[in-house]
Amino acid sequence: MKKMIQWVLAATIICGTTTIVSSCKETKAPEEKNEAAKTVKSEELIRTSQSWDGVELPDYLQGRPELVAVKYEFPAGQKLGWHHHPVMNYGILVQGELTIIGQDGKEKVVHEGEPVVEMVNTIHHGENRGTKPVILYMFYLSQKDSLLAVQHPEIPLE
């Protein structure tokens, strides 16, 4: 799993995902095991111009981009406060299950191994309704000194 995450971080810049397959059946000859360990596989997890709620993403920002990668860990039962993202972002959930709730009540459940494209400039929050911690890697297409998220503490969580 650690190698997969390293490849995801490196490959996200070119919008691809790459994993190394390093396991083989014990019945293979040693030279076949070595060849399998050297095989690189690529699997596109998502290609979209819409966020998870079906809304079209905005045009790219003008000026020099700043790419930001963030690892989030959410304990079981944890709720994030209401917030919105002023910049485009997407990620891969590598452990657990995360429920994202829009202010309109629309929900998206992201399962382990799935990608998610976040809403831009739309208020939402996330919840870990599962029994194990959520680990989520998010990648932001930003600019220097731009906020990745704007909190809305004035909106109470239920």
Side-chain angles (χ1 to χ4, degrees), residues 68-85:
V68 182
V70 179
K71 177 184 177 183
Y72 293 98
E73 295 184 41
F74 305 94
Q78 179 70 41
K79 291 182 180 184
L80 293 175
W82 291 99
H83 63 279
H84 77 271
H85 302 283

Side-chain angles (χ1 to χ4, degrees), residues 132-150:
K132 65 180 178 179
V134 161
I135 298 177
L136 175 68
Y137 287 90
M138 293 300 294
F139 308 98
Y140 296 84
L141 305 164
S142 187
Q143 288 181 310
K144 187 172 174 54
D145 301 323
S146 292
L147 294 173
L148 302 180
V150 176

Side-chain angles (χ1 to χ4, degrees), residues 48 53 153:
T48 185
D53 62 340

Side-chain angles (χ1 to χ4, degrees), residues 107-123:
E107 292 188 7
K108 166 75 174 172
V109 178
V110 185
H111 301 93
E112 196 167 295
E114 291 181 344
V116 62
V117 178
E118 276 276 39
M119 304 165 125
V120 179
N121 292 319
T122 301
I123 297 173

